[in-house]
Amino acid sequence: MTLMGLQEYFAQLSRGVDLVAECSGLSALDLEKMGASAQDAAELISLHAIYFGPTPYTGKQRLAVNAARRNGHALRECLMVCV
């Protein structure tokens, strides 16, 4: 991986909940076919279900998404909050 590759990798991780939002309509297998490890794919799909999946608590879900964006939570922070 080049320096530019690393910079892009870290830039994507820093997108946090917005990166998770891009998993809409995808499965863990889809993400693995794109090159994700099985663990990364499972984590992203799990986060997507939490932040964007069906829930009777849409207001709380919206607050969580907005808070993650407002606080600049990277993907790792989103995982820590939800686990």
Side-chain angles (χ1 to χ4, degrees):
M1 188 177 284
T2 67
L3 182 59
M4 289 298 289
L6 282 172
Q7 289 173 328
E8 179 61 24
Y9 174 73
F10 293 127
Q12 290 302 317
L13 291 179
S14 72
R15 293 180 55 226
V17 76
D18 291 321
L19 179 63
V20 172
E22 291 187 22
C23 295
S24 184
L26 299 174
S27 68
L29 184 57
D30 292 330
L31 296 176
E32 288 179 48
K33 287 178 183 176
M34 292 179 196
S37 69
Q39 180 179 347
D40 287 343
E43 287 175 349
L44 282 167
I45 294 303
S46 176
L47 284 173
H48 188 273
I50 291 166
Y51 284 106
F52 300 102
T55 178
Y57 306 104
T58 57
K60 289 184 183 224
Q61 189 180 51
R62 187 172 40 258
L63 287 172
V65 169
N66 290 339
R69 286 180 174 141
R70 183 178 59 254
N71 293 314
H73 288 170
L75 188 61
R76 193 60 42 206
E77 284 86 15
C78 292
L79 281 165
M80 289 172 42
V81 167
C82 292
V83 173

